Amino acid sequence: EGFKAGALNFALNQTAKDAEVVAVIDSDYVVERDWLRALVPAFADPRIAIVQAPQDYRDAGESAFKAMAYAEYRGFFQIGMVTRNERNAIIQHGTMTLVRRDVLENVSRWAEWCICEDAELGLSIFEAGYEASYTSRSYGRGLMPDTFIDYKKQRFRWAYGAMQILKAHWGFLTSSHRNQLAPGQRYHFVAGWLPWLADGFNLLFNFAALGWSIAMITSPTKIDPPLMMFSVLPLSLFVFKIVKLVHLYRSAVGANVRQTIAAAVAGMAG
């Protein structure tokens, strides 16, 4: 009952009562032996409630599909999470994470109503006024989805969970509820999750553009081309996004041109 969150809460009940830090890893992960020794000392700071290492994968060489997916994942953990960490606004994910036990208990543990219980827990901890520490060094590696269908299911879960969290925490994110979130934290959580909605609107926009194009071909005397300004803006935004993607993947991730293109294709497909 409660899916992964229920399993975690059940396991927490079996955990030694004097354990001050709880570590969570996915079952497919191979973890480096110095992970705990390297990261647990961060809890010497009483404000730190989460210490997070990146998700990483060891099967990128199995196929072209997995290589593309791996290139896309690297961008989030080596660019997005590093940027979010500067404003104490990381997304806690469900593996390679350490959390302070008493804080976990105080925020009612993992939410069994949410399909992304890890990210929801992280936001709840931030709302309680605590901080997180993120390292971009990898301490463990797991397995990626084997097929595009599995990759698609993973993205659906992330998008669905993000909408659940936005709905439940909207008052906290917009300051209508009393909490400890700083403006920078609110920005990163809202700006980071709203693009899931934007992708849906982009799909509708693309279908409308295709329909208009077909109408211009079939009825050229009745349907005029759209005004130039309606074409320039989306094209400009698209070019800017591509330039930014190439620059960040080359400078921050160290990806080559082939890997950058692979990441872009995987990101659009997801």
Side-chain angles (χ1 to χ4, degrees), residues 20-25 35-43 48-53 92-93 95-101 121 125 131-133:
E20 298 180 16
V21 175
V22 175
V24 181
I25 58 171
W35 172 45
L36 298 179
R37 183 182 296 113
L39 298 188
V40 167
F43 289 100
I48 295 292
I50 300 168
V51 178
Q52 182 74 63
Q92 186 191 25
H93 38 276
T95 187
M96 303 307 298
T97 188
L98 304 168
V99 60
R100 196 182 292 274
R101 171 74 170 272
L121 174 64
I125 289 174
E131 297 182 7
S133 175

Side-chain angles (χ1 to χ4, degrees), residues 12 17 24-25 40 74 120 151 153 183 219 223 270:
L12 189 61
K17 299 300 181 183
V24 181
I25 58 171
V40 167
R74 287 173 64 198
E120 196 279 336
Y151 183 74
K153 289 179 180 178
S219 303
I223 305 298

